[in-house]
Amino acid sequence: MKSVDTLVDILLVEDNEGDIVLTTEALEESNIINTVNVVRNGKEAIDYVFNEGNYKDVSQPDLILLDVNLPLKSGHEVLTVIKGDERTKHIPVIMLSTSSSERDINLSYKNHVNCYITKPVELTDFFDAVTNIEQFWFNTVKLPVRK
């Protein structure tokens, strides 16, 4: 279990600037020390996770918050690549999307997402959801040790 004094690396894959601001603000308000790195499309997400392109020197994230609807490669495509590779399939991936479509939810779980959360519309509910994600994944769950 990561303690509150351990730095946690979170990769936020989101193309909506408003959602980026809200999510990063919610994560900053927590008592967990974290680094939030943001990429805005599916191609950048894959490059980041596999240390390619502009992301050769980044650390592998402890947790990925992934939107479904992204430019260049969809969240489903990104998820399939991450969960299909031995080097990265251990990284928890949370779909955090405005989509509540049964198709998106089922496809995410078929491709081994760790959980699927529909973004709440109300601001306080959104902050609560992000806080709950962080509390669960970094205070309750025991994550694999980063290599």
Side-chain angles (χ1 to χ4, degrees), residues 50-119:
F50 290 97
N51 298 108
E52 297 171 353
N54 296 327
Y55 304 99
K56 290 186 189 317
D57 298 321
V58 299
S59 298
Q60 201 169 66
D62 295 304
L63 179 74
I64 300 171
L65 301 176
L66 179 63
D67 190 15
V68 170
N69 301 307
L70 295 167
L72 303 184
K73 289 192 178 289
S74 74
H76 293 298
E77 291 171 296
V78 173
L79 178 64
T80 300
V81 171
I82 292 169
K83 293 300 185 176
D85 192 294
E86 286 296 319
R87 299 169 292 171
T88 56
K89 69 180 184 179
H90 68 281
I91 301 170
V93 178
I94 298 171
M95 283 293 195
L96 184 60
S97 180
T98 56
S99 172
S100 59
S101 118
E102 192 174 303
R103 178 198 170 280
D104 282 334
I105 295 167
N106 290 340
L107 185 56
S108 295
Y109 282 110
K110 179 182 176 195
N111 291 317
H112 308 288
V113 75
N114 293 88
C115 68
Y116 191 105
I117 299 171
T118 302
K119 293 175 189 172

Side-chain angles (χ1 to χ4, degrees), residues 11 15-16 26 31 76 95-96 107 113 143 146:
L11 177 61
D15 63 323
N16 180 297
N31 62 351
H76 293 298
M95 283 293 195
L96 184 60
L107 185 56
V113 75
L143 293 173
R146 195 181 330 159

Side-chain angles (χ1 to χ4, degrees), residues 6-10 27-28 30 32-36 134 138:
T6 302
L7 182 63
V8 174
D9 286 320
I10 300 170
L27 291 168
E28 287 171 1
S30 77
I32 296 170
I33 301 168
N34 62 60
T35 299
V36 180
E134 198 170 38
F138 300 121

